[in-house]
Amino acid sequence: MIFFFPFFSLIFRLVPIRRCFGGKGTCTMTITLAWWAALIGLALAIVLILMKLNPTYSLLLGTVIGCLIGGAGFTGTVTIVVQGGQSVMGTIIRVLAAGVLAGVMMESGAATQIARTIVSKFGEKLAIFSLAFATMIICAVGVFIPVAVLIVAPIAIEVGSRLGISKLALLIALSGGGKAGNIISPNPNTIAAASGFSSKSVTIQPSQVMVGSLLPALCGLIMAVFLATLMKKRGTIVQMSDLQEKTGKGGTSQAGSSQSSDSAEKLPSIGTSLVAPIVAVVLLLINPVGSLLHISLLEKFQVDAMYILPFAALVGMVAMGQAKHVLAYTKAGLGRMVDVVLILIGAGAIGALITNSNLPQQIVWLINHMGVPGTLLAPIAGILMAAATASTSTGVILGSQAFGGSILSFGTSRLAAAITMQAGATVIDGLPQGNYFHVTGNAMNMDLKERMSVVPFEALVGLTMTIVATLMYIVF
């Protein structure tokens, strides 16, 4: 490493850095890094993620290297990393609050009961639709998309083996339905989209993003069902042995105790299972509905999701008679959020690297030079950042942190930017460098080749939602 010091020193002299020092022993620093340094840092982070290094460490290391070669120095690098962590604290707090609801829905068996009820009510004639719709609803009530797929997968295998449906079609239905539910749920990506485009004067609530994404989500669900129906006899037909082999690999254990069979644990009734999500949805929708209908009393109800989601979870626990498990369920929910929070910290850091460089300005110039409408930067940034990190929530936080100012400079409204960027982040977020790809492949007992064959169809579902959202909020 000592041989690189002269190179770093030369770079430090060539890159302009502006420092402003204040009195009373304090020092504030304004740093402008070269665009290529930010790109190198981002590229390094992506390569490290592909090499299976922990995503948080990959993002942090990419940030540090990008800052150092960009001329920030050791002190400036710390400043940028800390600044990035501070920028995502609002998102982190809301994500932790969402963990309470997610823990209750998964650990109590409520999510499993909702999925089974939906599939049984629609019957075998609408099997593909019912499986996609069930995954959408499970995800929409606050369960993470990989966990939602894990919950519905055993049901899908049972139904598919009876009807002769292929693994490819089943996973298209589950993954497509999960994507549709993911953009209308109080999940980290929706929270990140709302927080990322909020300002001190204008606050975007997650519920506004959820409501605004409803029509794109429904279009995504329709596309998922259409594609799955087309492919239901293509590829390997699922067998009941796939469920047994998946269980042997530990696939069901990843979904938590909510994956237990009825014989192992009695599930709550469908009525009590719906209490928590209904309370959450009603409270989250009060303010958006009031704004839409211009009802001042409802508009004044500005209670953040940080309060609503845990409250709805506690009400649901009481309704299900599970209040005695409050400590276990909240602990499980928090445990599921730890990885998300850590990734958000890393994403915030590398977002700060990009925002402290002139990369956003260079991208704006490139977009203008190519003749691409600048208003399309929000969905484009969502697509690219989610593809790079193989994560919807990380893609949204990176896109909003790095390109938020540039997106708004084209005249795109904050809400439109949040909705279209989140939709864009669902297009190619399920790549092999991410956890979702492998978890869902294991859920259907697929090998690597079979799982890769699903990716183009997942992209079509995400692209459908992105196009609809862009037409609704940017074009028209």
Side-chain angles (χ1 to χ4, degrees), residues 5-17 71:
F5 287 159
F7 170 73
F8 287 150
S9 299
L10 177 63
I11 293 296
F12 294 167
R13 292 189 183 98
L14 292 176
V15 179
I17 303 176

Side-chain angles (χ1 to χ4, degrees), residues 86-103:
Q86 292 173 339
S87 68
V88 296
M89 279 309 299
T91 303
I92 288 173
I93 291 171
R94 292 174 177 86
V95 166
L96 293 175
V100 181
L101 178 61

Side-chain angles (χ1 to χ4, degrees), residues 152-431:
V152 184
I155 306 171
I157 291 174
E158 292 176 13
V159 173
S161 64
R162 292 199 304 269
L163 301 181
I165 302 175
S166 67
K167 295 180 184 180
L168 172 64
L170 290 175
L171 190 52
I172 292 172
L174 300 188
S175 191
K179 284 177 178 284
N182 202 28
I183 65 172
I184 57 172
S185 72
N187 273 339
N189 45 281
T190 307
I191 296 170
S195 301
F197 286 100
S198 294
S199 66
K200 293 181 179 180
S201 57
V202 179
T203 300
I204 304 296
Q205 296 291 343
S207 56
Q208 293 176 279
V209 180
M210 292 161 58
V211 172
S213 302
L214 181 57
L215 183 57
L218 292 175
C219 292
L221 175 66
I222 293 170
M223 177 58 72
V225 173
F226 172 72
L227 293 173
T229 302
L230 284 180
M231 306 303 293
K232 66 180 181 179
K233 298 299 181 182
R234 302 288 182 90
T236 306
I237 302 299
V238 72
Q239 305 291 334
M240 282 303 297
S241 59
D242 290 309
L243 180 60
Q244 296 168 358
E245 290 180 28
K246 183 177 75 69
T247 305
K249 293 177 184 178
T252 53
S253 64
Q254 298 178 60
S257 61
S258 59
Q259 290 289 33
S260 300
S261 63
D262 286 340
S263 60
E265 182 177 353
K266 191 178 186 307
L267 297 176
S269 68
I270 183 61
T272 57
S273 297
L274 289 170
V275 170
I278 288 175
V279 171
V281 169
V282 169
L283 292 178
L284 286 170
L285 291 181
I286 288 177
N287 182 265
V289 170
S291 300
L292 183 66
L293 301 178
H294 303 291
I295 302 175
S296 58
L297 181 63
L298 299 183
E299 287 181 299
K300 292 178 181 178
F301 185 83
Q302 297 182 352
V303 180
D304 197 275
M306 183 185 76
Y307 302 105
I308 290 175
L309 299 180
F311 173 75
L314 293 174
V315 172
M317 275 193 291
V318 172
M320 291 183 287
Q322 302 289 334
K324 62 182 178 181
H325 298 300
V326 60
L327 296 181
Y329 290 175
T330 52
K331 180 181 179 180
L334 178 63
R336 295 187 181 278
M337 296 296 175
V338 169
D339 288 342
V340 179
V341 168
L342 292 176
I343 290 175
L344 288 176
I345 293 173
I350 206 161
L353 165 66
I354 296 173
T355 55
N356 278 280
S357 74
N358 60 355
L359 179 60
Q361 290 79 8
Q362 295 294 329
I363 290 178
V364 170
W365 175 85
L366 182 63
I367 286 176
N368 289 329
H369 185 72
M370 294 175 62
V372 178
T375 50
L376 297 180
L377 180 56
I380 291 173
I383 292 171
L384 295 178
M385 293 299 99
T389 58
S391 167
T392 309
S393 55
T394 309
V396 170
I397 193 69
L398 263 180
S400 59
Q401 290 287 322
F403 305 108
S406 300
I407 290 168
L408 298 177
S409 70
F410 285 109
T412 306
S413 72
R414 294 180 183 274
L415 182 58
I419 292 171
T420 55
M421 178 174 286
Q422 180 188 222
T426 66
V427 178
I428 42 179
D429 57 336
L431 296 178

Side-chain angles (χ1 to χ4, degrees), residues 125-170:
K125 291 185 178 180
L126 296 173
I128 289 178
F129 170 78
S130 65
L131 291 169
F133 184 62
T135 315
M136 176 181 176
I137 295 300
I138 296 305
C139 204
V141 300
V143 175
F144 285 2
I145 179 171
V147 179
V149 173
L150 282 171
I151 289 173
V152 184
I155 306 171
I157 291 174
E158 292 176 13
V159 173
S161 64
R162 292 199 304 269
L163 301 181
I165 302 175
S166 67
K167 295 180 184 180
L168 172 64
L170 290 175

